[in-house]
Structure formats: structure tokens, C-alpha cells
Amino acid sequence: MITVSQDQQLDRRRMALKQISSNKCFGGLQKVFEHVSVELNCKMKFAVYLPPKAETGKCPALYWLSGLICTEQNFVSKSGYHQAASEHGFFVIAPDASPRGCNVKGEDESWDFGAGAGFYVDATEDPWKTNYRMYSYVTEELPQLINANFPVDPQRTSIFGHGALICALKNPGKYKSVSAFAPICNPVFCSWGKKAFSGYLGKDQSKWKAYNATHLVKSYPDSQLDILIDQGKDDRFLLDEQLLPDNFIAACTERKIPVAFRLQEGCDHSYYFISTFITDHIRHHAKYLNA
Amino acid sequence: MEEESGEELGLDRSTPKDFHFYHMDLYDSEDRPQLFPEENPRMRKEVVQAETANESTGAGDGKAQSDLREEVEELVHLYGLEDDHELGDEFVDENMPKMGVSEYPPYGMKRRDPAREQRDWRLSGEAAEAEDLGFGGWGSAGQCQDLREVYRYTHGRASEEYECYVIPEEEDEEEAADVFCVTCKTPIRAFQKVFDEHKEHEVIPLSEALESAKDEIHKNMYKLEKQIIDMENFANHLEEVFITVEENFGKQEQNFESHYNEILETLAQKYEEKIQALGEKKKERLEALYGQLVSCGENLDTCKELMETIEEMCHEEKVDFIKDAVAMADRLGKFLKTKTDVEISAQPDFEDQTLDFSDVEQLMDSINTIPAPSAPVINPQAPNSATGSSVRVCWSLYSDDTVESYQLSYRPVQDSSPGKDQAAPSPPIIKTKEIRSCEEAVLICWESGNLNPVDSYTVELTQAESPEASGVTESVVGIPTCESLVQLQPGQSYIIYVRALNMGGPSVRSEPATVHTIGSYFRLNKDTCHPWLAISQDGLTIIRSERSTPRREPPPSDTRFTRCVAVMGNLIPVRGHHYWEVEVNEHLDYTVGVAFEDVPKQEDLGANCLSWCMRHTFASSRHKYEFLHNRTTPDIRITVPPKKIGILLDYENSKLSFFNVDLSQHLYTFSCQLHKFVHPCFSLEKPGCLKIHNGISMPKHVTFY
């Protein structure tokens, strides 16, 4: 086993970033990079928005975790977040939703499991455990990569989107604020969750709790988190009982974790819904990141 | 290929029909036959130009043809055509012999009249700076572009291709001129001086002539520019005068119309009156006469009757005759005694009537006079409009008046001297409990403090940092009512006094009131308070107490809440940001928000479109939160019940936001159309109390909204 020095590691990370595209947007730059991920053992793309303020100083970072079947592109092209991010001066980092091109058997069979559906867990079962470690990627490798390559203030980070709840609840104090759009709140009780967890984590349901937002909330150590959730009222996944926000809200109420949950009339699960409220969410994070 | 010959400024020249111009650049200068090898090609071109121009016109206009090239080159540089020197050199030569005045499309464009070209010349002055495509006189950049392209096109061709277009003038090419004959105003060759024509004439070297011509052109340019400016100014001035004339005459017309109408009305009135008087007089007389006629008739009848009786009597027997005769004699006697009035009572003559038209005359006379203007109104003194030795006075006048000048007079009023005729008034009393303020202003009201009416009030304010050694005291004077809205600086403390003023002078200062321009400060309005609510002494706590006895609902009212157990605050009517907080109890049913002053007091808050509020209901251990306007609410779930609610009212962005203050959590924001001013409103659906905190600045988390 060759030990690699800190500097060499840093260098390797620095050299590893390959820029795929760069577009000027609202005074800042929307870029897409590709790198070889250590956790996921494959090439991964992620999108990062550099605000205009980044030219002169360090800026806070906001991580967006996309949901099922998304890549790093959906959020970037459809949500319309650039103006708010530019105004508040945030980096916005959007990784892909799962490892790609790993040639794991069965990864392309269904849209809600495998490719495009990483569920932000660290899989423990074969054949997934080599590659499907999105939780570690998103909470450790990617932030370190970003901090090393961009003028990001590592003390000021927030996270939103699917899977954000998990990351925030499992890492008290790491994120200053959290928000989500139509999140899966209680995966152990919905068919998506059951399918994914049994595939990634095995049949032992006690292991599933570690990635269940509703469960994690019950043992969250403090109540310094401020959670904003927008949910479309006409979202078919809500009606199909895949999302189950009520359970989450009830747990938060009991645990006295502040949540503002807004059920939006007429909205569905699409990016039209997300783009309507994205500015509110970014402002929510600005309260803490720019305090 | 018809081309225009160059045109002088203001001079119209016709192109001779059989005369054609061709691009000089078709031929490299070396290609031309060297008639005079010692001369440079440049001169030869000038000759050609000169010759052709001479032939066509026979007379220059004070400008040498041959020196145009140089001038034009200068202009080329001036107008930024440096990128293509040949364009400047030769193109100009052919196509713009004069100062960009003529439109010179080589392939068939019609001529323009000089007036247009004069305008183009003007354009060239202005547009040239703006555009690099110089030659403003060409009218449009597009045309210029075309020309350049054409030029390049032709320039790119080999000269052989144009052999067929041999210029006739080539054969006529002569020597270049090198001197200038001032008398004939034409360039000539030196030897020509010797000839008869120019023998006696004054001759100067070409370069000199060039210089002077250049100067003239520049002068003309300059003059033209000046003229443009003058004309523009004049046009503006004319416009102003035009408008003023319209206005003034409009006023005169109006005046005259009203006067004239007045006169007509008066005349008509007189007519009516007179006719009526005459009619009555006539009636009177006719009646009198008629009366007389009637009595005459009666008289006659009686006479006739008597006569008949007497006649009958005469035919009677003697005894009867005597009886009757005596009676008759009596009767007759009586009758004859009564006087008959044979005077005609009413004369047909008409008295002389003189009509009184004096008032009409007066009106007619006054029709030519301009009415005196109404008294102007002096505006109340604005803050900071006075210094130690001067004061700025503003006034306004009625728009109907025609005013020529104003006369301003002033008289100092002594502070200390009490009235000569009248005693100075007593100081007013500021209603400190009713002061409303925000970060930018304060609304103060006071009691007059005087039984007698007072002319006006003065508000004085100083910043509270150094009250005794204060520098500036701002005054607002001429306040007619017992209320004043004063603009202030945010984040300061002020001490305010009020004085009353009448003929005897000003009163002493009232007791001071202190105002802090931090946050918005208001008190609850007792007049709006539902009878079941009690307000604390400081006006900031609302209490609904338990009552065991059932209570009747009070009768409907416009000011007081009757159905909804609510009360409103008095927020200062200033369109800015206002922020206040309300302390609540988790288990309390309450509603907090804003409403217009005329919100229906028989309805619940939020049940109409004149109020926006947040309602919390606690039932069966569940908290329900509604954000009501017009009876609709979004579906919002909140996990941690707020203990202190922050409310932000933003007139500029038309928003009303609610916050959980302790958690810095944003709850909800309304977008509301606030065409009038709104006031905070509070209601308690169950017994409990609400405590208001105001006069606090917005916490940081609120500023994001």
C-alpha cells in the first residue's frame, strides 16, 4: 500500500478536474467538470456555478442533490436558479444522481434503481458496493474536491434537493441550512425505498434506518436546523404515497425541529414547480450563509 | 455611366450632357501617357480635374479645383477614412470633389437639390464623429458602404478591362496649373500669365490660394455650425413663446366669455323686469277704467229706470201721482246728490320711462379689465429652509390668475414681547400617547391648549444627543391643524415641542415629547376595540378575559369591531417598511395581521379582501396555521409553534411577511395590493393575551425578505 502524501493527494485532485463546458450566466460562470471519483470508481460529472463575487473573495457553497433519473444537467438547465445564486453570491454544485458507466449488471434495468437512482446511500451489497457510494461521494469527496479547486468558504455550506435531508440529518453542524422539493421522506415505507434499500443495503431493515429521514430526525441531537420543504399538491408521487411527508412532519413536530412545509396548489413534480420556488429556497439559504 | 459633377455649396450646376466622369483609379498613374514627364502624377490629376471642371462650368467659386484634393484628404483624415487611403485619395478625387455635399453614386443616382445637400453637410458635421463611415454628406452609412464596395470592386479590376472607357479628356490632358489668378479666380499655368487674358491680373502661387480657400471653407463651416445652434435655440424659444401665447390668450378668452355672459344675463334680466312692470301697469289702468265703465253703466241704468218710473207716474191718477211724486222727488233728490264721477281715472298717456342701465354700463366698462388676482397662499415653512439671516418662502397661486409680479413684504415678530393688542396664546399640549412614528417620520398631534382660536402652530424639533447645547432646531411653521407629519432621519432620537401662534405672538414651548426613529411605533386604537377586549395602560397589551356570564353581541358599528373580537393599531401613514412583533402563547387561538381602516367590523379578520392575517388555532393538541385573505389560505404546516411572531409590512414591494422570531424562521409572505394605508390588527378567538413589541429595528434575517 503506497501512502500518498497530503500534497500529492491535493495535486492529484487538482489535476483530475477536466472542464467540459463553461457558459457565462448572470455575471457568473456555469461550468461542468469531469473527474475520476475515488469513492465511486468511475468518471463522474458535476456542474458548478461560480458567482461573480468569487472573483474577489471566498463564497459560500450550496449543494443540490437531484432526484431519480436526473443527471447534473437537469437542475442546471431547467431550474432557473442562476439569477438568485448570482445575487446572493453562492457557489452552486450539482453532482450527478448516481455513478455512471460502471457496467454493473442490472443498473439500467429500471429507472428507479441503479443508474440515475443512487439514493445517496453507501451500498453494502454486491454488485453495488464498489460503485454506488453516493453518500460518501456527496458528503466527503466532492466537497473536498470543490474546496481544493474553487474559492469556497468551507465553513459555509448548505444543501438542498433530494437526499439533502439525509445528508444534513446525518451530519449535524456540517450544513447551515437544508431545504427540499418533494423529497422522499420515509423511504422504508414506500415502494421506491423498499426496492432501493433492499438492493443496496440488503434485507436487514435495521440498516435502512440510517438512510431514513423520518427516523434520523428522531435522534437528531439539536434543533438548530431550519428546514424548508415545498411539495406540489398535484404531484402524482405524493398521491401514490411514495413521498410520505406527513410522517416526517410529525416526527419533526415531536422533536421540535423547525420545518416550514408548503403544499403548493396545482403543482406537480416537474422542474416547472421547482423553478417557481427555487428563488425562495436560495433566499432561505442566504439567511444562514450570508448571515 | 452618368455621374454628377461636383457641386459647390449653394451653387447649382448642371452636368453637361455629353460629359462623363470616370474613376480616376481605373488607370494607374504610371499608365497614363506622360505628357510632361517632369510633373508628378498628382499634378496631372489635378489638371484633369481642373480642366474638366473648368470646361463644365467655366467659372469656379472661389475654390480651386486642384487644391480640393488636398482639402479632401484633410477631411478624409478628419472623418476617419484612414483605413483605405486609396479610397481617400482617388475615390475622393472623383467622387467627392467638394466637401461631401454631393451625393455621388457612380452608377446612376439622381441629383439632389442644394438645399438637401446643405442639410447633408450639416449631418456630416454631426454624424461624422459618430460614425467611422465618414462622408456624412453621403446621407446614410448604407449608401456610403455601397459606394465603398463599388469602389473596391472597381479598384480591384485590372485596368485593361476598362480600356474601352478611355476618357476623352485624356487626349485633352494639358499641363497642370501652378498659379492662381485671383482676378479670374481660376488656376492657370504660369505661362498663361503672359497671355493677354491674365496679363494685368493678379496672380498668386497655388499654395497660397489653397490656404485661403481652405480658410474660407473652414470659416463657412464654423458659421454654419453656429447658425445651426442659433436656429435650434430660436426654435426652442419659439416653442416656448408659442405655448405661452396659447395659454395667455386662452385665459383672455375665458375672461371675456364670462364677462360677456354676465352682461347678457343682466340685460335679459332687465328686459324681463321691465316687461313685467309694464304689463302690470297696463292691467292696473285697464281695471280702473273698467271699473269706471261699470259704475257708469249702473248709473245710466238707474237714471233710465227713474225716467221710466216718472213717465209712468205722469200717467197716473192725481191722488196716486202726488204720493208717488213725493217719493220720487225724494229718490231723485238723493240720487242727484250722489256725485257721479266723470273723471277718467286712468290716463292713456304714458309716462316717461327712463330705464336704468347703469349697471350694464359698468359691466361693459369692466370687460376690458383684467381681474385682480386672488391672494397667493404661502406654504408652511419647510424644515431646513431658514438660516440665521435668511428664510426661504414658497407660495402658490390660482391657475386662473394672470400674474405679472409678486410683492413680498415681511415684518419681524418678536419672540418675547407679549401682545400689544392681544395676549400670546398658551402652549399646546402634545398627546404623547398618540404619537406614531417610523424610521422616516413622526406623526404628532396635540390639544390646542387655548379657548380662543389660534392662527397657526409651530413644531420645533432637536436631535436628542445634546439637548441643551443643541445646534439645529428645525421648525415647521404655519401648521393649521393640531396634527403634523414631520420627516426625520432614521436611527435618531428627537425632542419635539409645539408652540401656538396668534397676532400677539408665539406661545412658550409645550412640554417636550421624545421620539425615537427606530422601527415603527404605534399604539392600539381604543375606538376600534371590541367590548370584550381590554387594552393595557401602555396601549401594547390586549387581554380577553374569561367571563362566565354570557355576553350579548354588541350592535353593528363602523369603527368598532362587533363580531370579531379584535382591535386595530394606529400605524403612521408612511409608505416604507414597518416591523413589529407579537408575543403569543402556544395554546392560544389568535389572529394577527393588517387591515385597511374601513375593513368591515362585522366580519372576521381575513374573511374579506380588506385584511391579511395569520391565524393560529389549537385544538385537540394540534396546531393549525392559516394565512387568510379573502377567506383563502395556502396549505402550510409548521412543526414548531412560534412564541413570538414578527410581522414585516413592506409597502414598496407590496408584501406582508410573517416570521418565527426566536428561530429566525420565515413562515409566509403575502403579496398584497396596498393602495391605501393599512393598520395592524389583532384578534383573540379565545381568552388570553397578546403583547405587542414595536419600535424595534428589523432583525437581520428579516432583511432578506
Side-chain angles (χ1 to χ4, degrees), chain B residues 311-328:
Chain B
E311 272 186 35
E312 274 176 30
M313 258 177 29
C314 290
H315 292 101
E316 282 176 4
E317 293 292 326
K318 289 180 186 154
V319 175
D320 295 323
F321 177 74
I322 293 198
K323 274 193 226 162
D324 291 336
V326 174
M328 182 47 70

Side-chain angles (χ1 to χ4, degrees), chain A residues 88 226-227 233 246 249 252-253 256-263 280 283-284 286-288 290-291, chain B residues 586 623 634-641 655 659 663-669 700-702 704-705:
Chain A
H88 290 287
D226 183 353
I227 305 176
K233 200 162 177 189
D246 293 332
I249 293 169
C252 287
T253 310
K256 300 211 188 319
I257 307 265
V259 172
F261 175 86
R262 318 192 302 186
L263 200 59
D280 284 351
R283 183 169 43 205
H284 170 80
K287 248 187 352 191
Y288 298 97
N290 279 340
Chain B
E586 279 183 34
H623 296 267
D635 194 334
I636 309 246
R637 287 184 230 166
I638 294 168
T639 54
V640 179
K655 286 202 199 149
F659 302 90
L663 302 179
S664 310
Q665 185 188 31
H666 167 252
L667 299 174
Y668 185 71
T669 299
K700 176 119 197 245
H701 68 98
V702 169
F704 285 95
Y705 295 85

